[in-house]
Amino acid sequence: ARIAGGGRAWGYPQPDWSPPDHAGHYQEVIYIDPYGNAMTGLFAADLQSASHLIAGGQEFRPVRTFAEADPGEPVWLANSIGLAELCLNGDDCAARLGLSRGDAVTVATAG
């Protein structure tokens, strides 16, 4: 509605960006969004639902939605383009854990 009324869009301007053609094959952070969520180069569908991801010295458990995580809990979920995304519910994951593009992401089986 804001845009239709001639106002600015909410959020931060982003440079033209799209995932690399080879996304899904990299165990690393490939993008940090304006909220501090860290997109990985891993296809969420390729990960077992019991797989935990490790990045920045923190273990992330899988969830389907943010609502399944407690505030500040480290979780990962499938984002809108099918990649695994690391987040802290209600917090800036990248800033809190010092994550940046190129940081390693390890796949670990829960247990």
Side-chain angles (χ1 to χ4, degrees):
R2 183 179 296 167
I3 295 170
R8 286 192 56 204
W10 184 85
Y12 303 97
Q14 295 294 307
D16 291 334
W17 184 88
S18 60
D21 293 336
H22 50 271
H25 303 289
Y26 285 96
Q27 288 186 229
E28 64 185 44
V29 174
I30 62 170
Y31 179 73
I32 305 290
D33 75 15
Y35 304 101
N37 299 320
M39 184 186 307
T40 73
L42 296 167
F43 286 122
D46 291 344
L47 302 171
Q48 297 175 358
S49 62
S51 292
H52 286 213
L53 300 179
I54 301 169
Q58 181 67 59
E59 187 169 333
F60 296 78
R61 76 175 180 93
V63 295
R64 289 178 301 129
T65 68
F66 284 109
E68 294 177 9
D70 292 329
E73 181 182 8
V75 295
W76 71 266
L77 48 79
N79 66 17
S80 62
I81 59 173
L83 296 175
E85 191 157 318
L86 309 173
C87 31
L88 297 177
N89 190 13
D91 202 350
D92 185 325
C93 182
R96 177 70 57 129
L97 300 177
L99 294 175
S100 58
R101 288 183 62 209
D103 286 352
V105 177
T106 303
V107 179
T109 304

